């Protein structure tokens, strides 16, 4: 993201569009009535067996059981005309048990919204969980993805007939790290959203091929920083500083560990291996910072890499 950083005013400000992977911007684009065409378009692009015409946003707090059971809060939750629910999550930090967490969420939602209605037929609509992940889906699931694939879809089916278990939840995991380098390389509708979540912060204008489509018009209107209210802008800046603090904290931990490693390395005469390991780690840190949307010049300053090296990551 292009940013201006002022130590005096403590402001992080995108030049045109916000980083929609950041909590405030993500919810502004996908969880508000004003921009719901973006939500509808995104869901229709990913969930291929439905045609959603309208959605109603509902409470994102999933309460626990009365006996202090564990509750949850999701980023976006809405439902369409037949009562089917759609949960949308943006996850930047890698989590080992994220898949289990999504199962927990859908189980809680079904128990609260369906099984407490007193309908003993157990006939209720489906719950869909759409998760955008800023880390490797292959690593999370242990399943190799095909070249160009960015979405993994889980559904409960009979393995022989392929028939779906009625009313069972469906899960979609979209890997932002596999985003295409440009819109010219995109082959599917779902890839467009993966690309946009990853790259909108770097755009100066709306790509011409997307202009005029209601979903993308709404998306860019919601992401345009100039359209943010004062409250949204302040919340966004706070979120950005939180992200930066996490990255700089990891950088400090690495630097401290590196200094200790250098001391031990000098004693053991491992200069060559140490330098190679340092360069590799700096590239990993730069790649993580780039994924968070930090400015190239800032990443260069923190890591010691050149801007050319960072842009090629």
């Amino acid at each position: 993201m292009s940013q201006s950083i002022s130590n005096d005013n403590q402001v992080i400000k995108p030049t045109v569009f916000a980083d929609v992977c950041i909590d405030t911007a993500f919810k502004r684009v996908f969880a508000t009535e004003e921009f719901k065409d973006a939500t509808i378009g995104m869901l229709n692009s990913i969930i291929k067996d439905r045609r959603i015409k309208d959605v109603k946003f509902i409470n994102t707090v999933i309460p626990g059981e009365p006996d202090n059971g564990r509750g949850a809060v999701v980023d976006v939750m809405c439902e369409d005309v037949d009562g089917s629910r759609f949960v949308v999550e943006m996850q930047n930090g890698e989590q080992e048990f994220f898949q289990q967490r999504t199962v927990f969420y859908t189980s809680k939602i079904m128990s609260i919204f369906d099984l407490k209605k007193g309908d003993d037929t157990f006939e209720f609509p489906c719950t869909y969980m759409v998760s955008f992940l800023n880390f490797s889906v292959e690593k999370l699931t242990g399943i190799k993805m095909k070249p160009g694939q960015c979405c993994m879809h889980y559904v409960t089916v009979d393995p022989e007939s392929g028939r779906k278990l009625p009313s069972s939840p469906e899960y979609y995991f979209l890997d932002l790290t596999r985003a295409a380098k440009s819109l010219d390389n995109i082959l599917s509708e779902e890839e467009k959203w993966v690309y946009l979540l990853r790259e909108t912060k770097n755009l100066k204008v709306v790509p011409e091929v997307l202009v005029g489509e209601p979903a993308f018009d709404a998306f860019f209107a919601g992401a345009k920083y100039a359209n943010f209210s004062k409250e949204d802008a302040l919340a966004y800046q706070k979120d950005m500083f939180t992200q930066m603090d996490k990255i700089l904290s990891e950088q400090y931990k690495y630097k401290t560990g590196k200094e200790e490693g250098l001391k031990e390395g000098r004693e053991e005469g491992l200069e060559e291996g140490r330098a190679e390991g340092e360069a590799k780690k700096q590239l990993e840190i730069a790649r993580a910072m780039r994924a968070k949307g930090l400015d190239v010049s800032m990443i260069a300053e923190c890591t010691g890499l050149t801007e050319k090296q960072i842009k090629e990551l």
Side-chain angles (χ1 to χ4, degrees):
M1 175 196 300
S2 296
Q3 300 167 323
S4 61
I5 302 178
S6 167
N7 292 329
D8 296 328
N9 299 321
Q10 291 292 292
V11 172
I12 300 177
K13 184 178 179 181
T15 54
V16 180
F17 299 108
D19 181 353
V20 287
C21 292
I22 299 298
D23 189 65
T24 298
F26 186 82
K27 291 177 181 177
R28 172 180 165 81
V29 171
F30 292 119
T32 58
E33 187 72 21
E34 183 178 1
F35 309 115
K36 72 177 180 180
D37 280 347
T39 310
I40 295 169
M42 177 269 293
L43 291 173
N44 278 327
S45 294
I46 295 167
I47 304 171
K48 302 294 197 302
D49 61 350
R50 296 188 63 85
R51 192 62 192 170
I52 304 162
K53 295 182 178 180
D54 195 12
V55 294
K56 177 179 68 175
F57 295 103
I58 54 181
N59 196 342
T60 58
V61 178
I62 306 171
E65 298 301 322
D67 57 348
N68 296 320
R70 186 175 181 181
V73 180
V74 296
D75 290 331
V76 182
M77 185 153 61
C78 56
E79 62 182 16
D80 65 4
V81 292
D82 73 354
S84 292
R85 284 167 303 278
F86 308 89
V87 179
V88 187
E89 281 280 284
M90 177 68 232
Q91 183 66 37
N92 282 299
E94 188 171 357
Q95 290 191 3
E96 182 180 1
F97 299 108
F98 185 77
Q99 287 179 291
Q100 291 88 330
R101 196 174 99 187
T102 61
V103 173
F104 171 76
Y105 285 173
T106 54
S107 299
K108 292 291 292 183
I109 290 168
M110 292 166 68
S111 67
I112 291 169
F113 288 91
D114 296 316
L115 302 185
K116 292 186 178 181
K117 291 180 179 180
D119 184 357
D120 57 9
T121 64
F122 286 87
E123 183 178 358
F124 45 83
C126 186
T127 296
Y128 299 86
M129 184 90 183
V130 176
S131 302
F132 291 98
L133 308 180
N134 218 343
F135 53 90
S136 172
V137 168
E138 284 188 346
K139 184 177 178 182
L140 175 70
T141 63
I143 301 172
K144 186 72 174 176
M145 299 177 81
K146 299 176 182 177
Q149 182 183 359
C150 63
C151 179
M152 192 165 289
H153 178 205
Y154 283 86
V155 60
T156 307
V157 297
D158 170 60
E160 292 189 11
S161 68
R163 190 169 184 175
K164 179 187 170 185
L165 187 68
S167 301
S168 61
E170 297 189 26
Y171 305 91
Y172 297 83
F173 298 98
L174 293 104
D175 188 339
L176 300 193
T177 70
R178 297 174 67 89
K181 298 296 183 183
S182 73
L183 282 170
D184 295 334
N185 299 325
I186 289 175
L187 301 177
S188 66
E189 287 298 311
E190 63 198 21
E191 284 184 275
K192 288 182 182 178
W193 293 100
V194 169
Y195 170 84
L196 288 177
L197 262 70
R198 185 70 181 267
E199 294 298 326
T200 291
K201 58 184 177 287
N202 298 317
L203 299 178
K204 300 296 188 294
V205 297
V206 179
E208 187 175 350
V209 294
L210 302 181
V211 174
E213 296 190 39
F216 297 120
D217 288 346
F219 173 85
F220 282 106
K224 190 173 183 180
Y225 189 75
N227 293 340
F228 278 37
S229 66
K230 182 178 179 180
E231 292 76 15
D232 282 346
L234 289 173
Y236 177 78
Q237 291 164 19
K238 182 178 178 181
D239 285 347
M240 285 296 292
F241 274 112
T242 299
Q243 290 282 350
M244 187 184 300
D245 284 344
K246 289 179 180 178
I247 292 172
L248 294 179
S249 176
E250 290 300 314
Q251 172 76 359
Y252 175 76
K253 289 179 182 178
Y254 165 68
K255 183 178 179 181
T256 303
K258 182 185 70 174
E259 290 172 351
E260 290 297 319
L262 287 173
K263 182 178 179 181
E264 294 176 4
R266 280 192 296 269
E267 294 172 354
E268 298 174 6
L270 300 176
E271 185 68 36
E272 183 177 348
R274 190 171 63 243
E276 183 179 341
E278 177 184 347
K280 182 178 179 181
K281 189 64 178 180
Q282 290 295 72
L283 287 171
E284 291 175 357
I285 292 172
R287 190 174 288 108
M289 296 176 80
R290 186 105 162 111
K292 299 295 185 185
L294 295 186
D295 185 65
V296 170
S297 61
M298 180 191 300
I299 300 173
E301 183 179 347
C302 290
T303 62
L305 299 174
T306 66
E307 292 192 8
K308 181 180 179 181
Q309 285 176 302
I310 295 165
K311 290 178 180 178
E312 290 176 350
L313 292 176

